Amino acid sequence: MSVQTRQRVGLLDVGKGLMRLTPDLGIVLKEGRGLITRKPTAKESIGHLFQRIAAKQPDRPFLKFENRVVSYGSANATVNRYATVLQEQGVRRGDVVGILAHNELETVLAMLATVKLGAVAGLLNYNQRGDTLAHSLGILDARVVLVSGDCLEVLSSAGDAGTTQNVLTFADLRTKSEGASEENPRITKQIQASEKAYYIFTSGTTGLPKASVMSHFRWLKSYSGLGGLGVRLRPDDTLYCCLPLYHNNSVTVALSSVLAGRASMAIGRKFSASRFWDDIVAYEATAFVYIGEVCRYLLSQPERPIDREHQVRVVVGNGLRQDIWHDFQQRFGIERIAEFYGASECNIAFINAYGLDETAGTCPLPYKVVEYDLETGEAVRDQKGRLRAVKTGEIGLLLAKVTDQQPFDGYTDDGATEKKLLRDGFKKGDCWFDTGDLVRHQGHQHIAFVDRLGDTFRWKGENVATTEVEAALGRMPGVSDCAVYGVEIPGTDGRAGMAAVVLQHGVDLRGQEFAEKLYGALPSYAVPLFIRVVRSLEQTSTFKSLKVELRNEGYTHGSDPVLVLKSSTDGYVEYYEEYPDEVARTGTAPR
């Protein structure tokens, strides 16, 4: 992601921003203060919050999907019936319920039914296949897995790990819930904020996906901070969400913003750049949630009158690039962009509450932006072993302080959790979460996202772990060694996957067959767009520094042949000069 141009945020910027908050002072005072005052020990949870809101406004529309509209009261009754069915399946407080589904009403209702019981909703990524999905199912060890009908084939790709699950389809769930109790489960009032609510899968730097823990407490912090302070929806608003419902931007950012504003959520089955504004108008949406790629794809569409015929006044998301920020806002007439910074596992978040340009916003919770080593990606310590903060306007590694009031929920893997923590950073006994992200310290509690460190890179809104792709390449017949890294393509967000591959003697890379096998082993967004065939990878002393050199070489330098992913059917072909422009236009491999 390119560096944003705003270097600093000044007092005048903050003052103007505070004036913009005035019309929404009611929701800021009512909900935003919870960002500071909420406690992990409180008996408060997502389900308890939802059922209280539903009791106060049972007739207001909550969810909209295609031709269906479900009110808050009706949704709560359905959620309670689903919770009864889950209890009959043996689900108890602390158990895990896997959810493998595309976007639809039942996906949201199933999540709410799960968390109302004090169980954990394990949000499976339907792009995962084979061994990757089997690994994720193993992490969950779910009491039951709820599956939409169109994801049964996805589950079967996991082999024995899929066939041995206690599976309940959404159709089964609806049938079994007929006549079930619509009373709020008794357990809901007893759930503490510190308990687990969701497992959200994220690709880390160690290979296969990790399940980051989202507690009720951290979700409620988002409800107060992003929803109450940042987005500030009103009861007559409708927020459109077409991002996958396993995505943190959907299940946390979008849903918490909707509930904080007592508003409605319109669910798009999937993102379509050509139909996006038609859906916005059809749902009468006044807000939507985005990732940076969505904004770029919308800008690349031919201009139409509908670009300005909508009612959208605020958008919330992350990754909107500096170079398209103003073009996007002006073309579509967006009044306010609530850009934020956060991650599935991060214990803090930044939100552009003041409506400033080119910033990920502010965070009142303790954090530091520190010096880092470009080669290793690690925070730099001085001779006394302490970390060093960067100056205002400079770029550094973002760290979030870990305290009792600001806990790090971590992952299901304790070892992976500990690796993300830096201890004794500025004084003995303190603890900091290493986000792995480079940000610009803009001053007055503001930052701008710059780039990611480590082996993970972002492409098409997803984190791609290089070691996971390397494992898939390493299993390919004829491959003796490989290295995977991300490379920048002008006009795109994030980094596209590129692999340097060493072939066994006498083996030729068959592009179509190679691509077919990779698509069968990896999510589509993780399949490398570029492959460089090299004689050897033994060029440097450490594997990481080798990747730095390869990344710098990119796809246009060097004497070794480079292949590009033409399409899932054509496979890999020889590199041609028009290819990067084609990817920039389509956001993926040309079709």
Side-chain angles (χ1 to χ4, degrees), residues 93 116 148 172 285 325 355 426 516 547 555:
R93 189 174 181 175
K116 267 203 172 194
S148 62
D172 294 333
W325 185 298
F426 293 91
E516 182 180 347
K547 285 190 178 183
Y555 50 84

Side-chain angles (χ1 to χ4, degrees), residues 3 12 38 74 88 135 147 216 225 228 238 276 389 419 430 453 465 475 497 532 554:
V3 178
L12 183 60
R38 290 192 185 280
S74 178
E88 292 171 350
H135 169 81
V147 184
H216 291 270
T238 294
F276 184 87
K419 286 181 180 179
D430 66 4
L453 282 173
R475 290 192 292 267
R532 182 185 295 277

Side-chain angles (χ1 to χ4, degrees), residues 78-365:
T78 301
V79 165
N80 292 340
R81 291 199 304 272
Y82 288 176
T84 300
V85 174
L86 292 177
Q87 286 178 318
E88 292 171 350
Q89 294 290 315
V91 175
R92 299 292 181 266
R93 189 174 181 175
D95 286 341
V96 178
V97 175
I99 300 176
L100 180 60
H102 289 97
N103 286 14
E104 56 179 285
L105 287 177
E106 275 70 24
T107 310
V108 176
L109 300 177
M111 293 177 193
L112 290 172
T114 300
V115 298
K116 267 203 172 194
L117 295 176
V120 186
L123 308 181
L124 291 159
N125 183 335
Y126 51 72
N127 288 299
Q128 293 181 358
R129 294 289 194 281
D131 292 343
T132 302
L133 179 57
H135 169 81
S136 297
L137 289 167
I139 289 176
L140 293 186
D141 189 22
R143 179 74 63 179
V144 60
V145 178
L146 302 178
V147 184
S148 62
D150 54 2
C151 282
L152 285 171
E153 177 273 329
V154 176
L155 185 64
S156 66
S157 74
D160 291 344
T163 57
T164 56
Q165 299 295 321
N166 177 21
V167 176
L168 202 64
T169 67
F170 282 173
D172 294 333
L173 185 62
R174 288 191 294 268
T175 300
K176 291 179 180 293
S177 69
E178 293 177 3
S181 172
E182 295 184 353
E183 295 295 317
N184 293 319
R186 293 182 181 179
I187 191 65
T188 306
K189 290 184 178 180
Q190 303 302 315
I191 300 168
Q192 280 195 335
S194 59
E195 295 181 46
K196 299 173 183 177
Y198 298 111
Y199 286 150
I200 300 176
F201 282 92
T202 176
S203 296
T205 59
T206 57
L208 290 168
K210 297 192 296 289
S212 64
V213 178
M214 173 66 72
S215 65
H216 291 270
F217 176 69
R218 195 150 59 88
W219 190 98
L220 290 166
K221 284 279 191 178
S222 177
Y223 166 88
S224 299
L226 295 182
L229 181 61
V231 185
R232 310 192 297 271
L233 296 180
R234 301 157 190 166
D236 58 351
D237 278 323
T238 294
L239 183 146
Y240 177 65
C241 176
C242 59
L243 302 179
L245 288 172
Y246 63 74
H247 203 291
N248 198 44
N249 281 29
S250 301
V251 72
T252 300
V253 178
L255 185 57
S256 69
S257 296
V258 165
L259 293 181
R262 281 38 172 182
S264 304
M265 181 172 171
I267 302 170
R269 190 174 290 275
K270 62 180 180 179
F271 170 68
S272 167
S274 61
R275 296 197 309 271
F276 184 87
W277 292 111
D278 298 277
D279 287 346
I280 287 284
V281 171
Y283 283 118
E284 299 181 332
T286 54
F288 66 80
V289 62
Y290 67 85
I291 54 175
E293 290 86 341
V294 164
C295 302
R296 185 172 60 80
Y297 296 158
L298 293 176
L299 267 179
S300 69
Q301 292 292 301
E303 292 191 22
R304 295 192 298 159
I306 202 170
D307 290 352
R308 286 285 192 129
E309 292 174 353
H310 57 82
Q311 303 174 54
V312 173
R313 60 181 180 82
V314 58
V315 298
V316 57
N318 61 334
L320 178 56
R321 286 192 349 220
Q322 162 269 327
D323 60 320
I324 66 170
W325 185 298
H326 293 286
D327 290 342
F328 179 78
Q329 190 166 21
Q330 291 171 10
R331 172 174 167 180
F332 300 113
I334 306 297
E335 178 183 327
R336 188 161 58 87
I337 297 175
E339 173 83 2
F340 76 92
Y341 167 87
S344 299
E345 66 271 48
C346 192
N347 60 333
I348 63 171
F350 292 75
I351 179 66
N352 187 14
Y354 301 143
L356 305 179
D357 294 341
E358 301 167 13
T359 178
T362 182
C363 177
L365 303 174

Side-chain angles (χ1 to χ4, degrees), residues 378-551:
E378 297 177 355
V380 172
R381 294 181 183 260
D382 60 21
Q383 292 180 346
K384 296 181 180 179
R386 300 305 186 211
L387 303 172
R388 299 191 299 227
V390 303
K391 297 178 182 179
T392 301
E394 293 182 344
I395 294 171
L397 177 64
L398 177 64
L399 306 180
K401 193 168 187 179
V402 179
T403 65
D404 291 341
Q405 290 298 107
Q406 193 174 304
F408 173 51
D409 295 331
Y411 309 96
T412 54
D413 183 332
D414 292 338
T417 298
E418 186 60 32
K419 286 181 180 179
K420 295 294 288 184
L421 299 177
L422 295 178
R423 301 185 183 276
D424 304 322
F426 293 91
K427 62 181 181 180
K428 186 175 178 59
D430 66 4
C431 183
W432 301 83
F433 166 64
D434 181 353
T435 67
D437 288 333
L438 298 179
V439 301
R440 186 182 297 280
H441 174 40
Q442 295 175 308
H444 293 286
Q445 298 296 108
H446 280 70
I447 65 164
F449 177 81
V450 174
D451 207 349
R452 291 188 64 83
L453 282 173
D455 287 341
T456 298
F457 59 90
R458 287 184 71 79
W459 180 244
K460 296 177 68 177
E462 300 281 354
N463 290 345
V464 181
T466 58
T467 46
E468 179 185 351
V469 183
E470 286 164 359
L473 284 167
R475 290 192 292 267
M476 300 284 284
V479 174
S480 62
D481 202 359
C482 65
V484 175
Y485 43 97
V487 293
E488 292 182 339
I489 300 177
T492 67
D493 296 299
R495 296 177 184 268
M498 184 167 185
V501 173
V502 180
L503 298 176
Q504 295 172 0
H505 180 70
V507 173
D508 292 323
L509 194 154
R510 298 181 179 179
Q512 186 174 3
E513 180 182 346
F514 207 80
E516 182 180 347
K517 290 185 177 180
L518 284 179
Y519 270 105
L522 295 167
S524 58
Y525 58 78
V527 178
L529 266 63
F530 301 91
I531 291 182
R532 182 185 295 277
V533 180
V534 298
R535 293 183 179 182
S536 172
L537 290 175
E538 299 173 356
Q539 300 171 358
T540 59
S541 59
T542 65
F543 196 62
K544 189 172 292 293
S545 63
L546 168 66
K547 285 190 178 183
V548 171
E549 291 184 9
L550 289 169
R551 187 184 300 119

